[in-house]
Amino acid sequence: MEKIVALCKRRGFIFQSSEIYGGLASTYDYGHYGVLLKNNVKSAWWRTVIQERDDMVALDAAILMHPKVWEASGHLAGFTDPLVQCLGKCKRRWRADHLEPDENGQLRCPECGGELGEAREFNLMFETFMGPVRDDASRIFLRPETAQGIFVNFKNVLQFARKKPPFGIAQIGKAFRNEITPGNFIFRTREFEQMEIEFFVPPADAPQWHQRWMEDRLRWYTDLGIRSDHLHLREHGPDELSHYSAATSDIEYLFPMGWSELEGIANRTDFDLKAHSKASGEDLSYFDPQTEQRYVPYVIEPSAGADRATLAFMVDAYDEEEVAGRKRTVLKLHPRLAPVKVAVLPLVSRDGMPEKARALYKELRELMPAEFDEGGSIGKRYRRQDEIGTPWGVTIDGQTMEDDTVTLRDRDSLDQIRVSISEIGDELLKRLVGDWRSPKLG
Ligand code: ATP
């Protein structure tokens, strides 16, 4: 993990938030390449769950919601983690369900070995106040999940999107949780982005859809390059299930700190729609004109974290290799996720090469994210592009000035071929689109 954190800082992917003030714990800012990478993760998700399906629609609900939403959903009473405090030297606070008992079966402070106090339930929702008066009536919450924005819009979508179950609503947005022990870089933070789907189905079909979504979601990660032996599904035990869930499985990834949740896929039953019907007085059932039956749909929820997924893609792509006696660090990101697709590099800064390279760069950047770099030795520039995961490099050299061909270098195989300058755009597009399609065809 330290290597990933160092690379992220060195290459401007991710910085500590408010760093000049000493940093705000477990809060991060995304720099240029980080923004591009996370955007690509999110657009790959949109592409798979919306563009390539006809049973899904998109939504972007507000972060601030009516406080009654959180009462009805059960978050006000039950969205808690068990908090224990060290009574010994360090006084640190821990999440009791994340601690391992010692050989006597007792929980001790992992920092100083001290005794721990009684566990108390700690609500993870951030509170704030709306308007100028700070009283109970104006108390609102930053949403701890995007899902509730979908449930309260179920009726709107049903009316206007011309959909009927089975269909789903997808949303990407920020969520906030006052986590007791955040950590492991962007794995667990107090402010993060979720990519959530609520998929509404006839109750009898829920187990089948749950199974299908687990397979679809697992495949999404492997299609985008994560090694399948670094992923598995883990089913929640009965004591672990959330208050709304009939069954949940997590997609876990082998992070540097061990197997940890990447995405949760839950069968939320009709819990949420029924709870909001009851609390709001709005009927959130569906009448099926074909069977002439009215029912409250069950919900299958694949819920992923955009930041966690970004971290997993980076960890899995990270590689250190020895090439011709020199160490190279490379992010072997799937081309669809790579922040920059092609780097255009003049071999040297003279003899008309920079001008020619810049003209080509201007053409290529209309087709795909491209970068022009003329500073430093060619080896250094390749290494920089390898570290940010750029799949292709195009070099303008002496021969280009004679016959209008360029060198095309592949990040992973390191193969170099010569391509005519007039064909390089088509060649790159072919590779990019080919790479987009190949997982599906394979
Ligand atoms: P955990 O057990 O790790 O606290 P959870 O089971 O509470 O997670 P869910 O409520 O299922 O998490 O949230 C769905 C997804 O949102 C998670 O799989 C994860 O990718 C992401 N996520 C949840 N909490 C955080 C967080 N604090 N920081 C970053 N991502 C998060």
Side-chain angles (χ1 to χ4, degrees):
M1 190 70 99
E2 288 87 63
K3 286 181 173 173
I4 297 285
V5 176
L7 175 74
C8 282
K9 170 128 203 219
R10 185 165 75 242
R11 294 301 179 198
F13 281 79
I14 298 169
F15 311 112
Q16 175 76 63
S17 159
S18 319
E19 201 171 5
I20 61 167
Y21 287 100
L24 181 65
S26 301
T27 316
Y28 295 93
D29 299 339
Y30 285 77
H32 181 69
Y33 296 123
V35 174
L36 297 182
L37 173 60
K38 186 155 83 144
N39 276 348
N40 290 344
V41 170
K42 290 187 284 183
S43 61
W45 186 86
W46 279 127
R47 182 186 160 106
T48 307
V49 308
I50 298 275
Q51 185 181 325
E52 294 177 351
R53 301 179 68 112
D54 48 22
D55 55 0
M56 296 276 300
V57 293
L59 182 76
D60 188 357
I63 289 174
L64 303 178
M65 301 179 76
H66 198 293
K68 284 202 172 140
V69 168
W70 306 110
E71 227 175 278
S73 69
H75 282 81
L76 209 49
F79 193 60
T80 57
D81 279 339
L83 170 76
V84 286
Q85 188 168 11
C86 170
L87 304 175
K89 241 189 276 153
C90 77
K91 308 280 182 259
R92 281 186 64 175
R93 294 184 173 85
W94 305 95
R95 221 176 112 170
D97 59 330
H98 278 183
L99 301 179
E100 292 290 339
D102 64 12
E103 60 275 11
N104 305 319
Q106 283 203 318
L107 294 182
R108 310 285 300 190
C109 174
E111 182 76 13
C112 70
E115 213 178 300
L116 296 171
E118 279 290 301
R120 69 181 172 89
E121 289 302 321
F122 172 77
N123 197 299
L124 301 182
M125 285 201 291
F126 277 99
E127 285 178 27
T128 185
F129 298 92
M130 191 142 148
V133 185
R134 295 181 157 244
D135 60 11
D136 272 0
S138 66
R139 186 169 69 137
I140 59 164
F141 302 93
L142 300 186
R143 65 179 177 200
E145 61 175 25
T146 65
Q148 299 303 323
I150 297 181
F151 296 128
V152 300
N153 276 293
F154 174 69
K155 210 170 163 181
N156 283 336
V157 175
L158 206 54
Q159 269 168 9
F160 297 108
R162 295 163 55 231
K163 295 282 176 214
K164 56 184 223 131
F167 84 99
I169 304 176
Q171 161 159 249
I172 295 182
K174 286 254 166 138
F176 302 83
R177 295 182 188 179
N178 200 0
E179 299 274 4
I180 297 168
T181 43
N184 287 315
F185 197 33
I186 55 169
F187 175 83
R188 188 185 304 284
T189 50
R190 294 194 172 100
E191 171 181 346
F192 55 97
E193 255 181 306
Q194 289 189 310
M195 310 189 285
E196 289 199 302
I197 296 166
E198 306 303 324
F199 198 79
F200 302 92
V201 299
D205 300 345
Q208 230 167 292
W209 277 105
H210 193 200
Q211 187 59 36
R212 268 176 75 168
W213 272 110
M214 288 190 270
E215 287 159 18
D216 283 4
R217 293 302 307 144
L218 206 52
R219 198 168 55 241
W220 185 75
Y221 292 102
T222 52
D223 277 359
L224 287 169
I226 293 199
R227 279 161 277 192
S228 52
D229 57 341
H230 289 177
L231 289 167
H232 67 206
L233 276 165
R234 188 185 65 81
E235 202 179 332
H236 283 205
D239 53 330
E240 212 185 333
L241 283 178
S242 313
H243 58 283
Y244 49 73
S245 173
T248 298
S249 285
D250 289 340
I251 295 180
E252 293 192 329
Y253 174 71
L254 189 54
F255 283 99
M257 66 282 186
W259 289 101
S260 310
E261 173 176 341
L262 184 55
E263 169 162 352
I265 303 164
N267 174 354
R268 286 181 85 125
T269 68
D270 53 8
F271 175 87
D272 302 273
L273 289 181
K274 275 198 173 147
H276 287 303
S277 282
K278 193 161 159 229
S280 68
E282 284 281 343
D283 180 5
L284 300 180
S285 64
Y286 170 71
F287 179 74
D288 186 338
Q290 263 156 4
T291 60
E292 299 203 328
Q293 276 182 336
R294 179 169 288 284
Y295 63 88
V296 178
Y298 267 39
V299 176
I300 305 302
E301 176 194 72
S303 170
D307 312 270
R308 256 186 218 185
T310 301
L311 180 61
F313 285 121
M314 274 196 292
V315 167
D316 221 67
Y318 185 94
D319 206 4
E320 287 174 6
E321 296 174 345
E322 184 129 334
V323 177
R326 302 250 294 266
K327 196 185 105 180
R328 86 161 176 154
T329 301
V330 53
L331 275 190
K332 293 185 171 172
L333 291 167
H334 190 290
R336 191 157 146 195
L337 299 181
V340 176
K341 314 299 180 198
V342 58
V344 185
L345 316 168
L347 185 63
V348 289
S349 273
R350 57 182 148 78
D351 305 334
M353 290 181 212
E355 293 74 17
K356 200 156 182 107
R358 194 174 274 284
L360 178 62
Y361 155 69
K362 283 189 173 162
E363 265 178 50
L364 292 180
R365 75 179 178 188
E366 289 184 22
L367 305 177
M368 61 189 70
E371 205 166 84
F372 172 79
D373 187 1
E374 62 175 327
S377 76
I378 190 74
K380 257 205 185 118
R381 282 178 279 159
Y382 278 146
R383 276 200 293 285
R384 187 173 166 278
Q385 294 299 332
D386 285 342
E387 286 203 357
I388 63 166
T390 307
W392 302 296
V394 168
T395 309
I396 307 290
D397 52 23
Q399 198 179 327
T400 315
M401 306 314 284
E402 286 165 20
D403 67 3
D404 264 350
T405 62
V406 295
T407 305
L408 173 57
R409 171 191 185 261
D410 184 277
R411 174 197 68 198
D412 300 340
S413 67
L414 293 173
D415 285 346
Q416 302 204 11
I417 57 167
R418 288 208 80 85
V419 179
S420 144
I421 208 164
S422 60
E423 284 165 18
I424 189 75
D426 282 347
E427 172 63 26
L428 289 169
L429 277 180
K430 204 170 77 197
R431 290 185 182 204
L432 193 56
V433 174
D435 269 316
W436 280 22
R437 293 213 176 121
S438 57
K440 276 260 144 55
L441 295 178

